[in-house]
Amino acid sequence: MRKPAVLWIALAAAGVLGGCVTVSAPDKPIVINLNINIKQEVVYRLDGKAKAVIDENAEIF
């Protein structure tokens, strides 16, 4: 007779102490601000003959 009473008290304590977790969506959209700087550096080399052709025809480039 004592075991059911102890069991009942343990279940009642677990129900009172056990929390309730609710998850809901926010009413405003989530905004993520990113500051990203992208730098690109292009290095090129020309051989002497190609450079001479470009210098001779500078108006087409």
Side-chain angles (χ1 to χ4, degrees), residues 6-26:
V6 172
L7 183 61
W8 176 254
I9 292 171
L11 288 175
V16 171
L17 296 177
C20 180
V21 177
T22 59
V23 178
S24 62

Side-chain angles (χ1 to χ4, degrees), residues 37-58:
N37 292 324
I38 298 174
K39 292 184 180 182
Q40 183 177 2
E41 187 174 316
V42 177
V43 178
Y44 64 93
R45 295 183 188 147
L46 296 174
D47 67 349
K49 190 172 183 180
K51 187 173 182 182
V53 170
I54 291 173
D55 288 339
E56 289 171 6
N57 301 307

